[in-house]
Amino acid sequence: MSRLCDKGRGGMRFDILTLFPGMFEGPFGDSIIKRAREAGIISIHIHNIRDFATDKHHITDDYPYGGGGGMVMKPEPIFACVEHVLADVLPEEEAPPIILLTPQGRLFTQQVAMELAQRRRLVLICGRYEGVDERVREHLVTDEISIGDYVLSGGEIPAMVVVDAVTRLLPGALGYAMAPLEDSHAMGLLEGPQYTRPAEFRGWRVPDVLLSGNHAEVARWRRQQSLRRTLERRPDLLASATLTQEDREFLASLGYRGPFSDDKREE
Ligand code: ADE
């Protein structure tokens, strides 16, 4: 049915419903996703919604009732495809979330990625054209996710974004076990600058503290860089980050006076 269909081996399972299965081959055939699939940390199953249209021409979209521009994805093939995908879920298993990728969904953040990474299985429906028949939203889908306030041609790239962000959180997916915790956004702050060899490149030197071998000083410098960068680029994040007294003093030295996540709410 589809070219991209892994064997389930106990890892997290993604079922992706799409009209364009070919779009996934490149992004899922390289790098971390490829290795995670090969290691059985995840399995990816791509389903072509068109295969579930029962009419002669396998039609998956139609004109909107009431007129207006664009086409709407028909409900029958989407329901049939989801029901096929869920046919092997045992009664005692938790029902997987059925997620529609749409610009009208809740915003996808690192927190949402962490929430989804707790599940054993995700079903992702890629909407196309101008939209999806409302009955899919009302009676089939359990969650709707947007990857940002812009409109893409369909939910395929957003589904890839979700698979990537979730996979790299799973144990064993990244070589270095602590890495996901240090990512930008993981702790509610942006990551500071990173350097590698050479210590001097075209006259630009790596900050001395990083060459000092003083681990405590390096950790302090990194934390301060992370706070400084967050203040410069995403001050909105500081309001909800967990900050120590030392963090606050450092931010105060840069002119930041709050708000802080534990500010007392005004009644
Ligand atoms: N489909 C089209 N645009 C989208 C977006 N921003 N997020 C999720 N799905 C989409």
Side-chain angles (χ1 to χ4, degrees):
M1 179 195 307
S2 74
R3 287 154 286 186
L4 218 165
C5 200
D6 296 330
K7 291 209 166 46
R9 278 188 285 159
M12 181 163 182
R13 173 174 174 144
F14 297 93
D15 287 283
I16 302 177
L17 283 59
T18 174
L19 289 169
F20 301 96
M23 285 182 71
F24 294 89
E25 283 172 23
F28 290 167
D30 257 313
S31 185
I32 289 181
I33 303 283
K34 178 187 183 202
R35 276 197 280 118
R37 290 172 55 207
E38 287 172 352
I41 295 167
I42 61 167
S43 65
I44 299 179
H45 306 256
I46 307 282
H47 308 272
N48 190 341
I49 296 170
R50 195 170 302 283
D51 294 336
F52 294 84
T54 52
D55 64 297
K56 195 166 83 188
H57 300 292
H58 292 273
I59 290 175
T60 55
D61 61 337
D62 207 338
Y63 295 99
Y65 275 117
M71 303 292 273
V72 176
M73 284 176 77
K74 289 164 66 59
E76 309 97 304
I78 301 178
F79 271 80
C81 189
V82 168
E83 282 156 9
H84 164 81
V85 163
L86 296 183
D88 64 348
V89 178
L90 302 170
E92 64 270 23
E93 275 179 60
E94 74 168 11
I98 302 168
I99 303 170
L100 178 67
L101 284 311
T102 160
Q104 299 185 9
R106 64 181 172 131
L107 198 60
F108 188 61
T109 62
Q110 192 65 24
Q111 266 60 46
V112 176
M114 290 194 251
E115 171 199 320
L116 297 180
Q118 304 303 313
R119 311 299 291 249
R120 289 195 46 71
R121 199 168 163 178
L122 299 179
V123 178
L124 302 170
I125 303 177
C126 306
R128 270 270 146 178
Y129 308 118
E130 268 60 41
V132 173
D133 188 284
E134 189 64 17
R135 288 162 291 189
V136 169
R137 286 206 154 89
E138 284 185 350
H139 305 294
L140 185 64
V141 156
T142 60
D143 196 0
E144 299 184 33
I145 286 180
S146 164
I147 63 160
D149 290 340
Y150 39 81
V151 180
L152 299 165
S153 323
E156 281 77 11
I157 292 172
M160 294 172 204
V161 167
V162 170
V163 170
D164 190 289
V166 170
T167 298
R168 58 195 306 295
L169 292 173
L170 300 176
L174 302 181
Y176 171 35
M178 289 302 287
L181 274 180
E182 290 173 9
D183 285 340
S184 286
H185 293 291
M187 304 300 286
L189 296 174
L190 301 184
E191 227 184 328
Q194 305 268 28
Y195 295 89
T196 185
R197 280 181 286 187
E200 184 170 333
F201 168 66
R202 298 190 177 176
W204 301 306
R205 280 189 57 73
V206 170
D208 284 337
V209 57
L210 294 178
L211 310 175
S212 70
N214 182 334
H215 298 299
E217 270 304 303
V218 168
R220 213 166 89 92
W221 182 85
R222 285 213 170 116
R223 182 73 183 174
Q224 292 185 347
Q225 292 296 317
S226 164
L227 292 163
R228 184 191 292 277
R229 186 156 281 198
T230 308
L231 177 62
E232 282 166 3
R233 301 186 182 198
R234 292 292 306 279
D236 56 300
L237 296 176
L238 293 174
S240 41
T242 305
L243 301 172
T244 64
Q245 187 55 35
E246 193 181 334
D247 291 340
R248 288 169 188 235
E249 283 163 17
F250 179 70
L251 285 169
S253 78
L254 301 177
Y256 183 78
R257 303 270 178 274
F260 296 107
S261 63
D262 53 358
D263 283 344
K264 295 267 177 296
R265 287 245 193 90
E266 301 213 0
E267 295 298 309

